[in-house]
Amino acid sequence: MKNINTRRTIRKYADREVSQELLNRLLTEASRTQTMGNLQLYSVVVTRDAEMKQRLAPAHFNQPMVTGAPVVLTICADFRRTTRWCEERQATPGYDNLLSFINAASDALLYTQTFCNLAEEEGLGCCYLGTTVYMPQMIIDVLGLPKLVMPVATITLGWPDEEPPLSDRLPLAAFVHEEQYQDYTAERIDAFYREKESLPENQEFVRINGKETLAQVFTDCRYTKKDNEAMSATMIETLKKQCYLR
């Protein structure tokens, strides 16, 4: 059993099945999470087949946990089901727009987090793949997602075969604002990031990347302006194809 204070991202999994009974129970329990209008604007595609994992892997930069995990879950913002329900019940849907995508994506991410919490309480390990939104069209093609269905999150799932160290977190004062937003001064930034920047593993991260500061690793190596702009363009084009933008 795990709790939120000791949770770890798990990328290596034991050669042990995640039973369909357990998975179905967790997927069902997670559906009790918050949802806009009680519409449950999400769908989950479960991937167990090794060939299908191989087809999905390039969309996630071939990270080994995609093919190494017993189960891969792709969670989608889904207004398709609700739209079809409306069409079959003499109602006129109007959900082919950006606001509807934001609502569905919020629902999907709430479901994703709730599922992860429940799975980790059972002793399972998860890895959240932020790469889902980088090349969404590839995932859409592999999984056969129709219009108004957009992948927003991927979870690799299995029984842990590692116990990595806990990752660092910023202090409470860094992200909680009382009554109104308090902008960040140089002094506050120094105070909030001092511990993170002083950790030996982060200092080594800076060294091996040939940078002067930890922030430069993120701006120059990991999440660059060029990549962000290119993937933003891809995201906009995909949202148009999935009928969430015009």
Side-chain angles (χ1 to χ4, degrees), residues 7-8 164-171 175 192-203 205 214 218 222:
R7 71 152 304 279
R8 294 166 166 81
L166 292 175
S167 53
D168 62 271
R169 291 293 186 266
L170 292 171
F175 57 87
F192 296 151
Y193 283 86
R194 183 176 297 113
E195 182 176 356
K196 176 187 285 285
E197 292 171 336
S198 67
L199 292 173
E201 58 267 33
N202 285 337
Q203 292 181 349
F205 199 28
L214 183 62
F218 286 87
R222 298 196 67 186

Side-chain angles (χ1 to χ4, degrees), residues 9-13 63-65 126-127 156 162 164:
T9 294
I10 300 298
R11 296 177 174 86
K12 295 181 181 178
Y13 302 95
Q63 296 178 89
M65 53 275 200
C126 305
C127 181
T156 60
E162 64 172 344

Side-chain angles (χ1 to χ4, degrees), residues 54-72:
Q54 288 286 354
R55 292 178 63 192
L56 282 172
H60 300 289
F61 299 97
N62 291 305
Q63 296 178 89
M65 53 275 200
V66 177
T67 53
V71 180
V72 177

Side-chain angles (χ1 to χ4, degrees), residues 2-225:
K2 300 180 181 179
N3 64 54
I4 195 66
N5 291 314
T6 58
R7 71 152 304 279
R8 294 166 166 81
T9 294
I10 300 298
R11 296 177 174 86
K12 295 181 181 178
Y13 302 95
D15 184 16
R16 177 184 171 191
E17 179 188 9
V18 178
S19 73
Q20 193 64 51
E21 179 184 11
L22 174 59
L23 181 59
N24 286 346
R25 175 167 66 80
L26 293 172
L27 290 168
T28 301
E29 290 176 354
S31 71
R32 299 306 305 173
T33 197
Q34 302 92 327
T35 171
M36 194 202 79
N38 200 28
L39 289 173
Q40 295 179 251
L41 303 171
Y42 50 80
S43 283
V44 183
V45 181
V46 180
T47 303
R48 291 182 180 269
D49 182 75
E51 182 180 345
M52 286 296 288
K53 292 176 195 172
Q54 288 286 354
R55 292 178 63 192
L56 282 172
H60 300 289
F61 299 97
N62 291 305
Q63 296 178 89
M65 53 275 200
V66 177
T67 53
V71 180
V72 177
L73 304 177
T74 305
I75 300 91
C76 304
D78 185 351
F79 246 116
R80 171 78 173 182
R81 183 182 62 251
T82 301
T83 293
R84 291 292 296 122
W85 173 56
C86 292
E87 291 170 343
E88 294 295 328
R89 297 295 184 272
Q90 298 76 52
T92 304
Y95 307 123
D96 54 345
N97 45 65
L98 179 60
L99 179 63
S100 296
F101 169 69
I102 291 173
N103 286 331
S106 297
D107 259 26
L109 292 174
L110 283 166
Y111 180 90
T112 301
Q113 184 60 68
T114 300
F115 175 86
C116 287
N117 290 344
L118 292 169
E120 289 169 346
E121 286 176 1
E122 291 288 335
L124 288 161
C126 305
C127 181
Y128 178 95
L129 302 183
T131 46
T132 306
V133 296
Y134 292 175
M135 292 186 282
Q137 190 62 54
M138 187 179 297
I139 298 172
I140 289 167
D141 293 341
V142 171
L143 300 181
L145 305 180
K147 306 299 184 184
L148 297 180
V149 181
M150 183 77 175
V152 295
T154 301
I155 298 297
T156 60
L157 180 73
W159 301 102
D161 194 30
E162 64 172 344
E163 190 172 352
L166 292 175
S167 53
D168 62 271
R169 291 293 186 266
L170 292 171
L172 184 68
F175 57 87
V176 173
H177 304 256
E178 299 291 347
E179 307 302 342
Q180 289 187 320
Y181 192 96
Q182 303 298 312
D183 205 358
Y184 295 96
T185 63
E187 291 76 17
R188 296 184 78 213
I189 290 295
D190 287 345
F192 296 151
Y193 283 86
R194 183 176 297 113
E195 182 176 356
K196 176 187 285 285
E197 292 171 336
S198 67
L199 292 173
E201 58 267 33
N202 285 337
Q203 292 181 349
E204 176 65 7
F205 199 28
V206 173
R207 188 192 67 78
I208 63 176
N209 281 282
K211 296 299 175 182
E212 296 178 356
T213 70
L214 183 62
Q216 288 176 350
V217 176
F218 286 87
T219 60
D220 300 353
C221 303
R222 298 196 67 186
Y223 307 109
T224 68
K225 177 180 175 64

